[in-house]
Amino acid sequence: AHVLVCGGTGCTSSGSHGVMDGLKSELKKQNLDDEVLVVQTGCHGMCEMGPIVVVYPEGTFYCRVSKDDVPELVEEHLLKGRTVDRLLYTGEGDVHVPHYSEIPFYSKQERVALGNCGYIDADKIEEYIARDGYEALGKVLTSMTPEDVVEEMKTSGLRGRGGGGFPTGLKWSFCAKSPGPKKYVICNADEGDPGAFMDRSILEGDPHSIIEGMMIGAYAMGADEGYIYCRAEYPLAIKRLKRAIDQAEEYGLLGENVLGTDFSFSLHVKEGAGAFVCGEETALMGSIEGRRGMPRPRPPFPAVSGLWGKPTNINNVETWANVPSIIRRGGAWFASMGTEKSKGTKVFALTGKVKHTGLVEVPMGITLREIIFDIGGGILGDKKFKAVQIGGPSGGCLTEEHLDLPVSYEDLAKAGAIMGSGGMVVMDEDNCMVDVAKFFLEFTQRESCGKCVPCREGTKQMLLLLKKICDGEGTMEDLAQLEELAHMVKDMSLCGLGQTAPNPVLTTLRYFRHEYEAHIKDRS
Ligand code: SF4
């Protein structure tokens, strides 16, 4: 038997290390330690039900397991072959559900980027290889030209999962065409949106998929060196990444003459110091170079002049993690999922007032209703759904009328929100939408690097006006000024942070203007 214990940050914080240690000592006590393998995996996604333990070969899914439950689990399940019902997921009508596939949270999901998370021990390269890991790298190095790889990426229709949604194959083709003997590839792992933890879970649960994806990209674009820029607040992710790099080097999969070919690649991890703006690619490169992380105007674009002035390609964690599967299974396979212009799957961090918070990966085109009500189980305490904030502080709030909106880059943009990197915060009838807008604006205002006036001063003035309105001291003139400033900051800021910072204010003004007005009217 195999017992998988979730070692993601969510389950770790709810005590999975204690469960892991307890299992090992209990198995030893029962003389089962040679027969039962205990594996610490990455995130299973259903963080709110952690710590999660899955027992194979049956695939029985246990949730909220504590250290005290371990003796019973070993005695009943592993020795007597009986399921411990009280630790199973409880579905509608108080029915115990023993398997993943039957739990609504998982049944509508399609796991590609998260495909190995929850299945393998991220510290063991052998487990990644056993699930076809590095097969795609072997394929490109032995049977594909760099141009073939770029074409395959174009066929897949994959678009940047960091928020911008730019077609990945096209982006790679720009860097591939840039002349020069020295090029870089970068993985943007500076995930900083409040409520977002998609990238962290992939880094912690399947670091080799990012390494393999970056190497495939490097081969396609003619790069021989890469950086993973990861926020220092993710110590577990950094530890696992560094270990994965060491192991790949030991196996001859990273370094000089990979797999006996002419292709060489070296990879470094650079820890960010916590500035949200360093997620912007020009600021990120400045930070790697040892300068203060501040955006610069583009052009020149990184594909022409990036890190240390060399052609550079930057993609985020989820984008890179999709690459090995696309190469292994074909671009057409990936493009068969999703909508006409938004292909494949997308990972979302589902948080807020929803019953089952956690990490979900869904095919593009699924509706918000399916994500929030079918997968997320609906609103906590069976309260009324009010809004969902998509795309973090750069995104927007959507309402009940958008619940049947297909989740795609185009449809979300039309409604005034953005896909962003995948944060999804659900709000119920008790949430004040003006407060929500203030919360996100406070975040972006604090994180503004101060380089350009519209963002530095504009967000500050917007925040003062919002606070005045929230305190019941605002006027209709203040509201008009807030709206005018929001448009000005959006149109005139230098980088994405400032250009998107007003989005939460603008969407709440568009859909919940009456709440702003109520704050003002309440005063009189
Ligand atoms: Fe800095 Fe804001 Fe200007 Fe971006 S928009 S450069 S974060 S001040």
Side-chain angles (χ1 to χ4, degrees), residues 280 295-298 448 450-459 462 485-502:
E280 198 280 340
R296 62 157 173 80
R298 296 174 298 181
S448 165
K451 182 169 180 170
C452 65
V453 176
C455 170
R456 186 183 67 223
E457 299 303 327
T459 55
M462 283 176 68
L485 268 171
H487 286 292
M488 189 273 290
V489 173
K490 192 176 169 73
D491 294 341
M492 297 176 69
S493 291
L494 174 63
C495 84
L497 190 151
Q499 288 158 9
T500 57

mmCIF file of all heavy atoms in Angstrom, residues 280 295-298 448 450-459 462 485-502:
data_model
loop_
_atom_site.group_PDB
_atom_site.id
_atom_site.type_symbol
_atom_site.label_atom_id
_atom_site.label_comp_id
_atom_site.label_asym_id
_atom_site.label_seq_id
_atom_site.Cartn_x
_atom_site.Cartn_y
_atom_site.Cartn_z
ATOM 1 N N GLU A 280 6.282 42.658 -12.348
ATOM 2 C CA GLU A 280 6.308 43.288 -13.679
ATOM 3 C C GLU A 280 7.666 42.949 -14.300
ATOM 4 O O GLU A 280 8.706 43.068 -13.649
ATOM 5 C CB GLU A 280 6.147 44.806 -13.495
ATOM 6 C CG GLU A 280 5.733 45.560 -14.733
ATOM 7 C CD GLU A 280 6.859 45.862 -15.705
ATOM 8 O OE1 GLU A 280 8.039 45.840 -15.294
ATOM 9 O OE2 GLU A 280 6.587 46.097 -16.883
ATOM 10 N N PRO A 295 9.891 49.339 -12.814
ATOM 11 C CA PRO A 295 9.629 49.132 -14.237
ATOM 12 C C PRO A 295 10.309 50.208 -15.089
ATOM 13 O O PRO A 295 10.606 51.303 -14.609
ATOM 14 C CB PRO A 295 8.112 49.269 -14.345
ATOM 15 C CG PRO A 295 7.609 49.072 -12.962
ATOM 16 C CD PRO A 295 8.665 49.612 -12.060
ATOM 17 N N ARG A 296 10.565 49.873 -16.334
ATOM 18 C CA ARG A 296 11.080 50.854 -17.291
ATOM 19 C C ARG A 296 10.148 50.844 -18.504
ATOM 20 O O ARG A 296 9.429 49.854 -18.730
ATOM 21 C CB ARG A 296 12.519 50.525 -17.690
ATOM 22 C CG ARG A 296 12.673 49.180 -18.390
ATOM 23 C CD ARG A 296 13.913 49.125 -19.239
ATOM 24 N NE ARG A 296 14.170 47.806 -19.780
ATOM 25 C CZ ARG A 296 13.576 47.292 -20.850
ATOM 26 N NH1 ARG A 296 12.628 47.959 -21.472
ATOM 27 N NH2 ARG A 296 13.891 46.078 -21.288
ATOM 28 N N PRO A 297 10.160 51.924 -19.276
ATOM 29 C CA PRO A 297 9.257 51.947 -20.445
ATOM 30 C C PRO A 297 9.665 50.883 -21.468
ATOM 31 O O PRO A 297 10.842 50.527 -21.572
ATOM 32 C CB PRO A 297 9.469 53.353 -21.031
ATOM 33 C CG PRO A 297 10.177 54.135 -19.992
ATOM 34 C CD PRO A 297 10.925 53.185 -19.145
ATOM 35 N N ARG A 298 8.699 50.374 -22.181
ATOM 36 C CA ARG A 298 8.960 49.452 -23.293
ATOM 37 C C ARG A 298 8.391 50.068 -24.552
ATOM 38 O O ARG A 298 7.287 50.643 -24.469
ATOM 39 C CB ARG A 298 8.310 48.091 -23.039
ATOM 40 C CG ARG A 298 8.890 47.373 -21.833
ATOM 41 C CD ARG A 298 8.142 46.118 -21.518
ATOM 42 N NE ARG A 298 6.749 46.382 -21.171
ATOM 43 C CZ ARG A 298 5.869 45.448 -20.837
ATOM 44 N NH1 ARG A 298 6.228 44.195 -20.809
ATOM 45 N NH2 ARG A 298 4.627 45.747 -20.543
ATOM 46 N N SER A 448 2.879 50.576 -4.953
ATOM 47 C CA SER A 448 3.320 51.445 -6.048
ATOM 48 C C SER A 448 4.791 51.801 -5.831
ATOM 49 O O SER A 448 5.189 52.183 -4.731
ATOM 50 C CB SER A 448 2.474 52.730 -6.029
ATOM 51 O OG SER A 448 3.078 53.710 -6.834
ATOM 52 N N GLY A 450 6.413 54.231 -7.097
ATOM 53 C CA GLY A 450 6.612 55.672 -6.995
ATOM 54 C C GLY A 450 7.326 56.307 -8.172
ATOM 55 O O GLY A 450 7.600 57.504 -8.158
ATOM 56 N N LYS A 451 7.611 55.514 -9.193
ATOM 57 C CA LYS A 451 8.387 56.074 -10.305
ATOM 58 C C LYS A 451 7.593 57.088 -11.126
ATOM 59 O O LYS A 451 8.140 58.091 -11.572
ATOM 60 C CB LYS A 451 8.878 54.929 -11.200
ATOM 61 C CG LYS A 451 9.738 55.386 -12.367
ATOM 62 C CD LYS A 451 10.411 54.210 -13.040
ATOM 63 C CE LYS A 451 11.273 54.669 -14.194
ATOM 64 N NZ LYS A 451 12.108 53.594 -14.721
ATOM 65 N N CYS A 452 6.301 56.808 -11.348
ATOM 66 C CA CYS A 452 5.552 57.762 -12.177
ATOM 67 C C CYS A 452 4.427 58.427 -11.373
ATOM 68 O O CYS A 452 3.812 57.810 -10.501
ATOM 69 C CB CYS A 452 5.028 57.093 -13.443
ATOM 70 S SG CYS A 452 3.825 55.820 -13.180
ATOM 71 N N VAL A 453 4.182 59.675 -11.713
ATOM 72 C CA VAL A 453 3.254 60.503 -10.932
ATOM 73 C C VAL A 453 1.815 59.974 -10.935
ATOM 74 O O VAL A 453 1.180 59.919 -9.880
ATOM 75 C CB VAL A 453 3.304 61.972 -11.415
ATOM 76 C CG1 VAL A 453 2.277 62.827 -10.696
ATOM 77 C CG2 VAL A 453 4.700 62.527 -11.210
ATOM 78 N N PRO A 454 1.258 59.592 -12.114
ATOM 79 C CA PRO A 454 -0.161 59.188 -12.089
ATOM 80 C C PRO A 454 -0.429 58.075 -11.088
ATOM 81 O O PRO A 454 -1.428 58.110 -10.363
ATOM 82 C CB PRO A 454 -0.410 58.688 -13.527
ATOM 83 C CG PRO A 454 0.650 59.325 -14.348
ATOM 84 C CD PRO A 454 1.840 59.491 -13.453
ATOM 85 N N CYS A 455 0.460 57.093 -11.022
ATOM 86 C CA CYS A 455 0.243 55.982 -10.091
ATOM 87 C C CYS A 455 0.583 56.406 -8.671
ATOM 88 O O CYS A 455 -0.204 56.197 -7.741
ATOM 89 C CB CYS A 455 1.084 54.785 -10.534
ATOM 90 S SG CYS A 455 1.169 53.426 -9.372
ATOM 91 N N ARG A 456 1.735 57.033 -8.492
ATOM 92 C CA ARG A 456 2.184 57.389 -7.137
ATOM 93 C C ARG A 456 1.188 58.331 -6.450
ATOM 94 O O ARG A 456 0.752 58.075 -5.330
ATOM 95 C CB ARG A 456 3.565 58.039 -7.221
ATOM 96 C CG ARG A 456 4.189 58.327 -5.860
ATOM 97 C CD ARG A 456 5.524 59.045 -6.008
ATOM 98 N NE ARG A 456 5.367 60.385 -6.541
ATOM 99 C CZ ARG A 456 6.154 60.920 -7.490
ATOM 100 N NH1 ARG A 456 7.134 60.203 -8.018
ATOM 101 N NH2 ARG A 456 5.949 62.152 -7.914
ATOM 102 N N GLU A 457 0.840 59.421 -7.134
ATOM 103 C CA GLU A 457 -0.043 60.418 -6.515
ATOM 104 C C GLU A 457 -1.517 60.091 -6.726
ATOM 105 O O GLU A 457 -2.344 60.317 -5.849
ATOM 106 C CB GLU A 457 0.263 61.821 -7.077
ATOM 107 C CG GLU A 457 1.680 62.286 -6.819
ATOM 108 C CD GLU A 457 2.041 62.296 -5.336
ATOM 109 O OE1 GLU A 457 1.152 62.565 -4.506
ATOM 110 O OE2 GLU A 457 3.207 62.009 -5.008
ATOM 111 N N GLY A 458 -1.812 59.545 -7.919
ATOM 112 C CA GLY A 458 -3.217 59.266 -8.261
ATOM 113 C C GLY A 458 -3.834 58.232 -7.334
ATOM 114 O O GLY A 458 -4.950 58.427 -6.821
ATOM 115 N N THR A 459 -3.113 57.129 -7.090
ATOM 116 C CA THR A 459 -3.681 56.090 -6.213
ATOM 117 C C THR A 459 -3.816 56.623 -4.790
ATOM 118 O O THR A 459 -4.755 56.273 -4.077
ATOM 119 C CB THR A 459 -2.833 54.802 -6.227
ATOM 120 O OG1 THR A 459 -1.483 55.131 -5.894
ATOM 121 C CG2 THR A 459 -2.877 54.097 -7.567
ATOM 122 N N MET A 462 -6.902 58.727 -4.732
ATOM 123 C CA MET A 462 -8.075 57.840 -4.824
ATOM 124 C C MET A 462 -8.374 57.213 -3.463
ATOM 125 O O MET A 462 -9.526 57.112 -3.034
ATOM 126 C CB MET A 462 -7.818 56.721 -5.842
ATOM 127 C CG MET A 462 -7.942 57.150 -7.295
ATOM 128 S SD MET A 462 -7.510 55.785 -8.383
ATOM 129 C CE MET A 462 -8.868 54.659 -8.079
ATOM 130 N N LEU A 485 -10.327 60.284 -11.484
ATOM 131 C CA LEU A 485 -8.953 59.904 -11.150
ATOM 132 C C LEU A 485 -8.659 58.453 -11.560
ATOM 133 O O LEU A 485 -7.566 58.147 -12.051
ATOM 134 C CB LEU A 485 -8.741 60.023 -9.636
ATOM 135 C CG LEU A 485 -8.202 61.336 -9.105
ATOM 136 C CD1 LEU A 485 -8.272 61.339 -7.578
ATOM 137 C CD2 LEU A 485 -6.758 61.550 -9.549
ATOM 138 N N ALA A 486 -9.636 57.588 -11.345
ATOM 139 C CA ALA A 486 -9.446 56.171 -11.682
ATOM 140 C C ALA A 486 -9.118 56.030 -13.168
ATOM 141 O O ALA A 486 -8.192 55.297 -13.554
ATOM 142 C CB ALA A 486 -10.699 55.371 -11.319
ATOM 143 N N HIS A 487 -9.861 56.741 -14.006
ATOM 144 C CA HIS A 487 -9.603 56.669 -15.452
ATOM 145 C C HIS A 487 -8.237 57.260 -15.787
ATOM 146 O O HIS A 487 -7.513 56.735 -16.627
ATOM 147 C CB HIS A 487 -10.708 57.401 -16.226
ATOM 148 C CG HIS A 487 -11.993 56.636 -16.259
ATOM 149 N ND1 HIS A 487 -12.125 55.448 -16.959
ATOM 150 C CD2 HIS A 487 -13.196 56.864 -15.673
ATOM 151 C CE1 HIS A 487 -13.359 54.985 -16.799
ATOM 152 N NE2 HIS A 487 -14.025 55.816 -16.027
ATOM 153 N N MET A 488 -7.885 58.330 -15.102
ATOM 154 C CA MET A 488 -6.605 58.985 -15.372
ATOM 155 C C MET A 488 -5.439 58.052 -15.003
ATOM 156 O O MET A 488 -4.498 57.868 -15.783
ATOM 157 C CB MET A 488 -6.541 60.293 -14.564
ATOM 158 C CG MET A 488 -5.384 61.205 -14.880
ATOM 159 S SD MET A 488 -3.934 60.793 -13.922
ATOM 160 C CE MET A 488 -4.428 61.295 -12.277
ATOM 161 N N VAL A 489 -5.527 57.436 -13.824
ATOM 162 C CA VAL A 489 -4.447 56.527 -13.383
ATOM 163 C C VAL A 489 -4.339 55.344 -14.349
ATOM 164 O O VAL A 489 -3.244 54.935 -14.743
ATOM 165 C CB VAL A 489 -4.699 56.034 -11.931
ATOM 166 C CG1 VAL A 489 -3.696 54.966 -11.532
ATOM 167 C CG2 VAL A 489 -4.654 57.206 -10.949
ATOM 168 N N LYS A 490 -5.477 54.833 -14.762
ATOM 169 C CA LYS A 490 -5.513 53.687 -15.684
ATOM 170 C C LYS A 490 -4.842 54.038 -17.013
ATOM 171 O O LYS A 490 -4.063 53.264 -17.561
ATOM 172 C CB LYS A 490 -6.982 53.300 -15.912
ATOM 173 C CG LYS A 490 -7.191 51.969 -16.613
ATOM 174 C CD LYS A 490 -8.691 51.698 -16.677
ATOM 175 C CE LYS A 490 -9.025 50.544 -17.583
ATOM 176 N NZ LYS A 490 -8.698 49.249 -17.059
ATOM 177 N N ASP A 491 -5.158 55.217 -17.526
ATOM 178 C CA ASP A 491 -4.664 55.598 -18.858
ATOM 179 C C ASP A 491 -3.217 56.077 -18.858
ATOM 180 O O ASP A 491 -2.528 55.977 -19.877
ATOM 181 C CB ASP A 491 -5.537 56.726 -19.444
ATOM 182 C CG ASP A 491 -6.945 56.242 -19.725
ATOM 183 O OD1 ASP A 491 -7.128 55.013 -19.814
ATOM 184 O OD2 ASP A 491 -7.860 57.087 -19.834
ATOM 185 N N MET A 492 -2.753 56.648 -17.767
ATOM 186 C CA MET A 492 -1.460 57.350 -17.816
ATOM 187 C C MET A 492 -0.311 56.695 -17.066
ATOM 188 O O MET A 492 0.820 57.177 -17.129
ATOM 189 C CB MET A 492 -1.646 58.787 -17.315
ATOM 190 C CG MET A 492 -2.583 59.571 -18.223
ATOM 191 S SD MET A 492 -2.908 61.204 -17.604
ATOM 192 C CE MET A 492 -1.349 61.989 -17.823
ATOM 193 N N SER A 493 -0.575 55.606 -16.338
ATOM 194 C CA SER A 493 0.513 55.004 -15.562
ATOM 195 C C SER A 493 1.490 54.280 -16.468
ATOM 196 O O SER A 493 1.136 53.809 -17.555
ATOM 197 C CB SER A 493 -0.050 54.038 -14.516
ATOM 198 O OG SER A 493 -0.730 54.768 -13.531
ATOM 199 N N LEU A 494 2.701 54.147 -15.976
ATOM 200 C CA LEU A 494 3.769 53.556 -16.783
ATOM 201 C C LEU A 494 3.646 52.048 -16.921
ATOM 202 O O LEU A 494 3.840 51.485 -17.996
ATOM 203 C CB LEU A 494 5.133 53.920 -16.141
ATOM 204 C CG LEU A 494 6.375 53.289 -16.754
ATOM 205 C CD1 LEU A 494 6.565 53.735 -18.193
ATOM 206 C CD2 LEU A 494 7.611 53.656 -15.928
ATOM 207 N N CYS A 495 3.327 51.355 -15.841
ATOM 208 C CA CYS A 495 3.351 49.889 -15.921
ATOM 209 C C CYS A 495 1.999 49.301 -15.539
ATOM 210 O O CYS A 495 1.073 50.007 -15.134
ATOM 211 C CB CYS A 495 4.459 49.318 -15.038
ATOM 212 S SG CYS A 495 4.009 49.101 -13.313
ATOM 213 N N GLY A 496 1.930 47.987 -15.656
ATOM 214 C CA GLY A 496 0.682 47.263 -15.400
ATOM 215 C C GLY A 496 0.123 47.505 -14.017
ATOM 216 O O GLY A 496 -1.098 47.486 -13.837
ATOM 217 N N LEU A 497 0.982 47.701 -13.028
ATOM 218 C CA LEU A 497 0.467 47.893 -11.667
ATOM 219 C C LEU A 497 -0.452 49.115 -11.617
ATOM 220 O O LEU A 497 -1.584 49.038 -11.153
ATOM 221 C CB LEU A 497 1.625 48.040 -10.676
ATOM 222 C CG LEU A 497 1.249 48.014 -9.185
ATOM 223 C CD1 LEU A 497 2.397 47.457 -8.343
ATOM 224 C CD2 LEU A 497 0.842 49.373 -8.653
ATOM 225 N N GLY A 498 0.040 50.237 -12.119
ATOM 226 C CA GLY A 498 -0.780 51.452 -12.103
ATOM 227 C C GLY A 498 -1.938 51.378 -13.082
ATOM 228 O O GLY A 498 -3.050 51.832 -12.783
ATOM 229 N N GLN A 499 -1.672 50.768 -14.243
ATOM 230 C CA GLN A 499 -2.729 50.703 -15.274
ATOM 231 C C GLN A 499 -3.928 49.865 -14.829
ATOM 232 O O GLN A 499 -5.033 50.038 -15.317
ATOM 233 C CB GLN A 499 -2.150 50.109 -16.565
ATOM 234 C CG GLN A 499 -1.211 51.061 -17.292
ATOM 235 C CD GLN A 499 -0.261 50.332 -18.215
ATOM 236 O OE1 GLN A 499 -0.397 49.130 -18.460
ATOM 237 N NE2 GLN A 499 0.727 51.035 -18.740
ATOM 238 N N THR A 500 -3.691 48.927 -13.922
ATOM 239 C CA THR A 500 -4.794 48.065 -13.483
ATOM 240 C C THR A 500 -5.261 48.364 -12.063
ATOM 241 O O THR A 500 -6.307 47.868 -11.646
ATOM 242 C CB THR A 500 -4.394 46.577 -13.563
ATOM 243 O OG1 THR A 500 -3.220 46.395 -12.768
ATOM 244 C CG2 THR A 500 -4.122 46.140 -14.997
ATOM 245 N N ALA A 501 -4.492 49.154 -11.317
ATOM 246 C CA ALA A 501 -4.854 49.431 -9.911
ATOM 247 C C ALA A 501 -6.290 49.959 -9.758
ATOM 248 O O ALA A 501 -6.976 49.600 -8.798
ATOM 249 C CB ALA A 501 -3.853 50.407 -9.291
ATOM 250 N N PRO A 502 -6.788 50.816 -10.688
ATOM 251 C CA PRO A 502 -8.162 51.319 -10.488
ATOM 252 C C PRO A 502 -9.257 50.296 -10.815
ATOM 253 O O PRO A 502 -10.432 50.579 -10.571
ATOM 254 C CB PRO A 502 -8.247 52.501 -11.479
ATOM 255 C CG PRO A 502 -6.844 52.808 -11.860
ATOM 256 C CD PRO A 502 -6.111 51.512 -11.789
#
